[in-house]
């Protein structure tokens, strides 16, 4: 089970840290990801990390602004979001996401299960 | 604009079969057997229903099946039921990223 928290209203340029508490599985054994969904729009992969947290990977549109991390002692995944923009407004989901590694790059293979999501609204 | 192209909507009557297409390129769908499909009911989180093009997670109905030909993947739902009415998203590994389609709204008439 995955339970996100930390969403809310933030001004443009502001920061927010999302959390995702995991239970009922051995958290450190699994790569994890964040996926977002803008209101009325489709799904968009944001960032992922391996089981140890030592390897992280990002979608191009968040590189340098968002940082993914995890604390395996607390079974918790995080997403630190800085320099937030209006287009970052979305429901943010965490998901277990095994990673595929190829010459072309490292990215999730699929997402399962998903948390219930937390809404981030960026507005003045 | 989504990287993978899906029809905006499809519809079918109970008991019928429908197919949702997902068109990518030789850099994503065409090069890797890493297409997945998700079902999302209004206000709910997405649910994985197909992974690695054709595989069903435990607990997912056999009425859901996936396939791929060239740069296009497809999701087929047979024996349509009222509870199948939802949004469906395809997804593919694409090298340094994972891409989603824009989603298809399935209406059960």
């Amino acid at each position: 089970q995955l339970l996100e928290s930390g969403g809310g209203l933030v001004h443009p340029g502001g920061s927010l840290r999302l959390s995702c508490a995991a239970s009922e599985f051995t958290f450190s054994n699994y790569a994890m990801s964040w996926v977002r969904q803008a209101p009325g729009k489709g799904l968009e992969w944001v960032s992922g990390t391996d089981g140890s947290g030592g390897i992280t990977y990002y979608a191009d549109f968040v590189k340098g602004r968002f940082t993914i991390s995890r604390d395996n002692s607390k079974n918790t995944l995080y997403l630190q979001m800085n320099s937030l923009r209006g287009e970052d407004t979305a429901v943010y989901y965490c998901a277990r996401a095994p990673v595929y590694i190829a010459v072309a790059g490292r990215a999730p293979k699929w997402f399962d299960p998903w948390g219930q999501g937390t809404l981030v609204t960026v507005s003045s | 604009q989504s990287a993978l192209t899906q029809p905006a909507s499809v519809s079918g009557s109970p008991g019928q079969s429908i197919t949702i297409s997902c068109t990518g390129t030789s850099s994503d769908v065409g090069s890797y057997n890493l297409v997945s499909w998700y079902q999302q009911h209004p206000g709910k989180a997405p649910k994985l229903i197909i992974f690695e093009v054709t595989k069903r997670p435990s607990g997912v109905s056999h009425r859901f099946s996936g396939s791929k030909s060239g740069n296009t993947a497809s999701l087929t739902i047979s024996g349509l039921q009222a509870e199948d009415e939802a949004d469906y998203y395809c997804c593919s590994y694409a090298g340094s990223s994972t891409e989603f389609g824009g989603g298809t709204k399935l209406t059960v008439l």
Side-chain angles (χ1 to χ4, degrees):
Chain A
Q1 186 175 357
L2 299 169
L3 187 63
E4 301 92 338
S5 61
L9 175 64
V10 60
H11 294 310
S15 297
L16 209 57
R17 189 177 84 155
L18 306 182
S19 299
C20 169
S23 60
E24 300 176 8
F25 66 95
T26 305
F27 183 64
S28 59
N29 285 353
Y30 292 90
M32 300 290 295
S33 271
W34 289 96
V35 178
R36 71 184 185 182
Q37 185 171 33
K41 302 297 184 182
L43 301 167
E44 188 172 45
W45 173 71
V46 174
S47 178
T49 182
D50 72 339
S52 70
I55 298 174
T56 59
Y57 29 101
Y58 299 91
D60 286 345
F61 61 84
V62 298
K63 282 180 181 176
R65 297 193 301 127
F66 292 7
T67 302
I68 190 171
S69 63
R70 63 194 296 162
D71 185 338
N72 286 343
S73 69
K74 296 182 178 179
N75 290 341
T76 301
L77 177 73
Y78 302 102
L79 185 67
Q80 177 68 43
M81 303 186 295
N82 300 330
S83 303
L84 283 162
R85 309 164 180 165
E87 54 264 38
D88 295 318
T89 294
V91 173
Y92 285 74
Y93 297 98
C94 65
R96 213 163 58 183
V99 62
Y100 186 75
I101 304 169
V103 172
R106 180 190 304 264
K109 293 192 283 188
W110 61 79
F111 305 93
D112 178 60
W114 300 58
Q116 90 292 344
T118 187
L119 176 62
V120 172
T121 303
V122 184
S123 175
S124 54
Chain B
Q1 187 172 353
S2 301
L4 306 179
T5 301
Q6 299 180 232
S9 63
V10 298
S11 62
S13 300
Q16 289 185 332
S17 295
I18 63 96
T19 297
I20 299 171
S21 62
C22 170
T23 302
T25 69
S26 58
S27 296
D28 41 56
V29 174
S31 289
Y32 308 98
N33 289 324
L34 290 173
V35 175
S36 53
W37 290 88
Y38 302 85
Q39 177 192 60
Q40 186 179 35
H41 287 106
K44 301 294 186 181
K47 173 189 174 184
L48 177 69
I49 55 174
I50 295 288
F51 67 103
E52 291 183 349
V53 181
T54 62
K55 299 177 180 178
R56 273 187 310 275
S58 174
V60 172
S61 172
H62 285 69
R63 297 185 299 105
F64 295 91
S65 62
S67 62
K68 189 184 86 167
S69 177
N71 296 338
T72 298
S74 299
L75 171 71
T76 297
I77 309 174
S78 59
L80 270 180
Q81 299 179 2
E83 60 260 35
D84 298 333
E85 186 161 294
D87 293 327
Y88 292 84
Y89 293 90
C90 64
C91 177
S92 176
Y93 169 84
S96 59
S97 181
T98 299
E99 302 164 337
F100 287 93
T104 298
K105 180 175 181 59
L106 169 61
T107 300
V108 180
L109 302 171

